[in-house]
């Protein structure tokens, strides 16, 4: 294509609300435009890259035996009521009525629709397993749409759903999808981790997220460089320290004045202790009761794990939040900052790191006072020990003990083993070999196509613009013609252009009537991986300049060899991603 005829509206200015580089560069490079909050147009160059991402995903889905379908975006409320998600999904679900007052929503995901389709057609174990996928537009009325394509309200997702006769077989389908997602991330050239993840409101028992490493990612993950254990911090386990306390070392508990020392730092400074000698007491409200959560002074709570631990201890915690200042005062009798477990009459749940601690410091449930030399069991009782703290870099890996690394990640994909959550509530049953009706065992697998476009840019850019990896670049080669009025230059460029196009190479040719500076700046901004420059001086010497977008040096090619050399290099670069 000739740039003079193309719709690539580049800009010099960043969009006013852009916080991350992918949002800035995709708008400035003429790839996307915002229509409304979190809703974007894909322009020709953006759409080409989206189509390439889809092609990689499609190939890997097809290769793993999944079959492509296309389901409606508009879904009847009736199905969501069957699965009990009409109320549970909340305001992210865009709901509306049709002219006959029928209730509908715009699909944020398709478990209900696919389960409805499959339950109507699949009756026997002989028809299973089955894996169906689609690539489609979703809508989620996100509370904070931001970061351009990374967290939109309307976005493109590939979603797949597997149906099996039993849990073991469903686990196999899950493993196949997991492997397909790894291949997809590899082929897109991502630096990523597949991490253990929380299952959130999709439900199910077992799940992994595919996290692309980037400082702008919204997720925090930890990973072990030794054994490969990796998890979202929402889920990451911490290693239990099994060292025993020596009761002989216990010292008598004392109450000490700590005027105005409320924060961990203030108490440490005042008592000349380090944070790991303190135990902090967080008061939570869990449904209708209050609970005290004990953590080492330098640790932070992980609320997903706190909720799990409370439920495990028999405390209902569907609605879990930190107690208000007034509630703390009521429960402990002291202002915020002086809570402690000694004498408290609510359940006490302690992080397992506290098991091995002795002679520690806690709040005294009295303004301006702390207890020192406190020991659990002797001075107060713990109702349950559990893993409730947030893992962080340097913690010992739960599997092998090696210090963990931590990264920010962009979640591009998510795989879930659902089990019979939807098939039971929606009665997707099949007749098993022994003549019994059973619910199908399901898995669901999402990958964010439009979020991937943003994630690629987050990992592949410099100050001047995007640096596309070859397989998803909108075009493979960018020809810059500096002197469009010079016939010799223009003829040379045209002939190389034609040869490349004939060989199936995807080329744009900048034949615009513009200055050198503008042409180079746009080429860098748009970020096509391989550039050829045709200028009067070079051509008079029989040379063309070739430069990779990711390298700083260019190289002169004899004009006669230029096309062949470029074809060879493009082919070579594509090989890395097949
Ligand atoms: P997040 O935690 O980022 O909100 P999620 O857990 O809600 O993601 P899933 O329901 O698992 O996401 O959806 C599958 C995939 O769809 C995600 O891995 C992500 O790539 C993509 N996705 C989800 N929400 C958005 C969004 N608002 N904008 C763009 N892509 C999204
Ligand atoms: Mg979400």
């Amino acid at each position: 294509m000739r740039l003079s005829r193309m719709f690539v509206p580049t800009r010099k200015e960043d969009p006013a609300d852009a916080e991350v580089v992918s949002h800035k560069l995709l708008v400035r490079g003429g790839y996307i435009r915002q229509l409304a909050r979190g809703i974007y147009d894909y322009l020709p160059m953006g759409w080409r890259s989206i189509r390439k991402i889809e092609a990689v995903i499609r190939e890997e889905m097809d290769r793993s035996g999944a079959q492509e379908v296309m389901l409606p975006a508009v879904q009847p409320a009736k199905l969501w009521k069957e699965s009990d998600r009409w109320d549970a999904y909340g305001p992210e679900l865009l709901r509306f009525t049709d002219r006959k007052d029928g209730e509908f929503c715009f699909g944020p995901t398709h478990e209900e629709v696919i389960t409805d389709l499959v339950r109507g057609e699949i009756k026997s174990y002989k028809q299973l397993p089955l894996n169906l996928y689609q690539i489609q537009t979703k809508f989620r009325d996100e509370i904070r749409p931001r970061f351009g394509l990374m967290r939109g309200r309307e976005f493109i997702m590939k979603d797949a759903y597997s149906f099996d006769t039993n849990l073991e077989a469903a686990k196999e389908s899950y493993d196949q999808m997991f492997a397909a997602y790894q291949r997809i991330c590899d082929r897109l050239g991502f630096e990523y981790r597949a991490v253990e993840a929380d299952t959130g409101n999709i439900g199910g028992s077992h799940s992994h997220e595919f996290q692309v490493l980037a400082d702008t990612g919204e997720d925090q993950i930890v990973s072990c460089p030794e054994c490969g254990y990796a998890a979202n911090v929402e889920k990451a386990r911490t290693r239990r320290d099994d060292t025993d306390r020596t009761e002989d070392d216990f010292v008598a508990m004392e109450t000490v004045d700590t005027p105005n020392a409320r924060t961990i730092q203030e108490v440490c400074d005042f008592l000349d202790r380090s944070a790991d000698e303190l135990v902090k007491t967080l008061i939570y409200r869990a449904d209708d009761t209050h609970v005290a959560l004990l953590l080492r002074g330098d640790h932070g709570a992980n609320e997903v794990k706190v909720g799990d631990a409370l439920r495990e201890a028999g405390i209902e915690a569907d609605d879990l939040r930190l107690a208000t200042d007034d509630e703390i005062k009521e429960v402990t009798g002291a202002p915020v900052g002086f809570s402690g477990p000694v004498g408290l009459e609510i359940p006490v749940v302690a992080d397992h790191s506290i098991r091995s601690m002795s002679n520690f410091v806690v709040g005294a449930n009295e303004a301006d006072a702390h207890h020192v030399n406190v020991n659990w069991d002797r001075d107060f009782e713990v109702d349950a020990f559990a893993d409730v703290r947030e893992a962080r870099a340097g913690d010992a890996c739960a599997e092998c003990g090696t210090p963990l690394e931590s990264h920010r990640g962009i979640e591009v994909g998510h795989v879930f083993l659902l089990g019979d959550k939807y098939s039971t509530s929606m009665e997707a049953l099949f007749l098993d070999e022994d003549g019994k009706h059973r619910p199908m065992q399901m898995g669901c697998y999402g990958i964010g196509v439009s979020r991937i476009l943003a994630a690629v840019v987050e990992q592949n850019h410099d100050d001047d613009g995007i640096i596309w990896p070859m397989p998803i670049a909108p075009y493979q080669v960018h020809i810059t013609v500096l002197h469009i009025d010079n016939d010799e230059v223009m003829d040379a460029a045209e002939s190389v252009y034609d040869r490349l196009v004939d060989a199936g190479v995807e080329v744009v040719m900048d034949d615009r009537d513009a200055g050198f500076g503008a042409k180079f700046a746009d080429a860098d901004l748009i970020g096509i991986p391989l550039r050829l420059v045709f200028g009067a001086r070079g051509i008079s010497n029989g040379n063309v300049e070739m430069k990779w977008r990711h390298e700083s040096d260019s190289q002169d090619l004899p004009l006669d060899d230029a096309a062949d050399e470029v074809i060879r290099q493009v082919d070579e670069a594509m090989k890395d991603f097949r």
Side-chain angles (χ1 to χ4, degrees), residues 186-197:
D186 289 340
R187 288 182 57 182
L188 296 176
F190 279 138
E191 192 190 344
Y192 70 99
R193 300 279 186 283
V195 307
E196 290 180 9

Side-chain angles (χ1 to χ4, degrees), residues 92 140 142 151 451:
E92 264 191 32
R140 295 181 183 178
E142 298 274 357
R151 184 165 299 280
R451 186 179 281 183

Side-chain angles (χ1 to χ4, degrees), residues 478-545:
H478 186 125
I479 292 181
T480 299
V481 187
L482 296 179
H483 304 93
I484 53 169
D485 298 331
N486 179 324
D487 287 345
E488 203 188 343
V489 173
M490 205 58 208
D491 288 348
E494 295 275 9
S495 92
V496 171
Y497 174 85
D498 286 343
R499 284 204 48 207
L500 292 178
V501 171
D502 287 346
V505 176
E506 300 166 62
V507 198
V508 306
M509 179 157 73
D510 189 350
D511 58 342
R512 293 174 305 170
D513 185 7
F516 298 0
K519 289 190 177 192
F520 286 130
D522 271 356
D524 283 344
L525 176 62
I526 292 168
I528 290 167
L530 191 55
R531 188 202 298 169
L532 288 179
V533 181
F534 288 77
R537 177 144 29 102
I539 292 302
S540 65
N541 294 328
N543 282 333
V544 182
E545 183 190 295

Side-chain angles (χ1 to χ4, degrees), residues 69-125:
V69 292
M70 187 62 172
L71 304 169
V74 173
Q75 311 183 1
K78 187 171 85 52
L79 292 179
W80 286 73
K81 289 178 179 167
E82 272 190 59
S83 70
D84 254 350
R85 284 210 295 183
W86 185 250
D87 293 326
Y89 215 90
E92 264 191 32
L93 188 63
L94 178 65
R95 301 152 207 253
F96 46 88
T97 48
D98 68 5
R99 63 166 81 198
K100 291 187 170 154
D101 279 338
E103 289 181 294
F104 287 88
C105 64
F106 195 106
T109 176
H110 277 70
E111 284 79 12
E112 282 78 2
V113 172
I114 197 89
T115 307
D116 180 61
L117 173 68
V118 170
R119 73 179 167 183
E121 305 303 325
I122 301 295
K123 301 293 175 195
S124 157
Y125 71 94

Side-chain angles (χ1 to χ4, degrees), residues 108-376:
T109 176
H110 277 70
E111 284 79 12
E112 282 78 2
V113 172
I114 197 89
T115 307
D116 180 61
L117 173 68
V118 170
R119 73 179 167 183
E121 305 303 325
I122 301 295
K123 301 293 175 195
S124 157
Y125 71 94
K126 291 182 190 148
Q127 296 165 286
L128 294 172
L130 184 66
N131 189 333
L132 301 174
Y133 77 96
Q134 63 173 343
I135 298 179
Q136 206 219 29
T137 298
K138 306 282 192 225
F139 195 94
R140 295 181 183 178
D141 204 352
E142 298 274 357
I143 185 164
R144 286 222 304 147
R146 55 189 184 144
F147 299 165
L149 295 185
M150 220 124 86
R151 184 165 299 280
R153 292 197 295 163
E154 187 178 296
F155 58 94
I156 306 169
M157 195 205 287
K158 184 289 301 175
D159 44 330
Y161 305 87
S162 63
F163 296 84
D164 281 278
T165 56
N166 60 58
L167 210 51
E168 210 173 297
K171 181 77 184 28
E172 259 170 55
S173 298
Y174 180 95
D175 291 343
Q176 273 170 16
M177 282 293 110
F178 186 97
Y181 274 41
Q182 285 182 312
R183 289 195 301 270
I184 291 166
C185 288
D186 289 340
R187 288 182 57 182
L188 296 176
F190 279 138
E191 192 190 344
Y192 70 99
R193 300 279 186 283
V195 307
E196 290 180 9
D198 186 45
T199 50
N201 72 0
I202 301 261
S205 55
H206 187 67
S207 103
H208 286 89
E209 290 164 351
F210 287 76
Q211 295 276 0
V212 168
L213 307 188
D215 291 341
T216 47
E218 293 183 277
D219 288 320
Q220 185 78 43
I221 63 170
V222 289
S223 62
C224 175
E226 186 63 32
C227 74
Y229 172 74
N232 192 310
V233 289
E234 289 174 356
K235 176 88 179 177
R237 287 172 279 130
T238 60
R239 195 175 177 84
R240 197 168 114 181
D241 175 4
D242 279 326
T243 11
D244 280 332
R245 309 177 296 172
T246 326
E247 299 202 6
D248 294 348
D249 297 339
F250 286 7
V251 180
M253 182 177 98
E254 276 180 68
T255 309
V256 295
D257 286 340
T258 51
N260 287 323
R262 293 160 189 275
T263 64
I264 297 294
Q265 193 56 53
E266 286 163 353
V267 178
C268 287
D269 289 349
F270 191 85
L271 297 176
D272 196 20
R273 302 267 196 141
S274 60
D276 59 6
E277 296 171 273
L278 261 64
V279 167
K280 62 184 167 196
T281 306
L282 302 177
I283 309 293
Y284 276 91
R285 176 88 191 175
D287 290 4
D288 331 310
T289 46
H290 286 104
V291 187
L293 185 80
L294 306 189
L295 289 168
R296 207 170 81 181
D298 57 333
H299 289 162
N302 171 326
E303 291 202 357
V304 175
K305 292 201 282 183
V306 173
D308 291 345
L310 294 184
R311 281 182 284 274
E312 181 82 4
I315 300 165
E316 295 199 7
D318 290 336
D319 189 17
L320 182 71
R321 59 166 172 81
L322 280 169
T324 62
D325 291 4
D326 286 343
E327 287 171 334
I328 292 174
K329 184 126 206 235
E330 196 182 310
V331 171
T332 67
V336 178
F338 300 99
S339 306
V342 181
L344 262 196
E345 283 175 357
I346 54 174
V348 173
V349 173
D351 182 62
H352 60 191
S353 58
I354 290 172
R355 225 181 244 280
S356 58
M357 288 177 71
S358 52
N359 300 324
F360 46 83
V361 179
V362 299
N365 295 328
E366 190 185 314
D368 298 335
H370 279 78
H371 295 310
V372 296
N373 300 328
V374 176
N375 289 290
W376 56 270

